[in-house]
Amino acid sequence: MKIVEPATTIVDEGTFLRIFTELPDIAEEKIKIDLENHSTSVTVAVSDTVKPYKGVITIPGEVKFSKKRFSNGILELTLEKITPKKS
């Protein structure tokens, strides 16, 4: 079975990054998020479904998990920057 990379958008809001990942027709309990402490990448994976998804999102700098929301097939992750870029 082919693994599909989900469409993902990253929005930089200064001290926070918001990641939006499209996971249509997926139950929230099937979603696995892997963000190691102070990581610079997030892995979103969905298994045990008709269409398995896996995406590795590279983050520009270290972050920590802030919150997660899943609604209408869109997974929204909010990550707080640990080392914000200096302008």
Side-chain angles (χ1 to χ4, degrees):
M1 189 177 294
K2 184 179 178 191
I3 296 175
V4 178
E5 185 168 344
T8 300
T9 303
I10 300 174
V11 179
D12 190 334
E13 297 182 339
T15 22
F16 293 94
L17 287 176
R18 284 193 201 278
I19 299 173
F20 298 92
T21 302
E22 295 179 27
L23 299 168
D25 303 320
I26 298 297
E28 185 172 4
E29 60 271 7
K30 299 283 187 185
I31 300 170
K32 180 178 179 262
I33 301 163
D34 184 15
L35 172 66
E36 292 182 18
N37 201 22
H38 306 295
S39 182
T40 56
S41 70
V42 177
T43 302
V44 175
V46 178
S47 57
D48 300 331
T49 60
V50 175
K51 187 187 282 186
Y53 289 90
K54 182 173 183 180
V56 178
I57 304 133
T58 302
I59 307 294
E62 293 184 354
V63 294
K64 65 181 178 181
F65 182 80
S66 183
K67 68 180 181 179
K68 171 188 97 166
R69 195 175 86 131
F70 186 69
S71 178
N72 297 322
I74 304 290
L75 174 66
E76 177 184 346
L77 300 175
T78 303
L79 307 174
E80 184 178 354
K81 293 179 187 177
I82 295 172
T83 51
K85 283 185 180 174
K86 301 203 166 92
S87 344

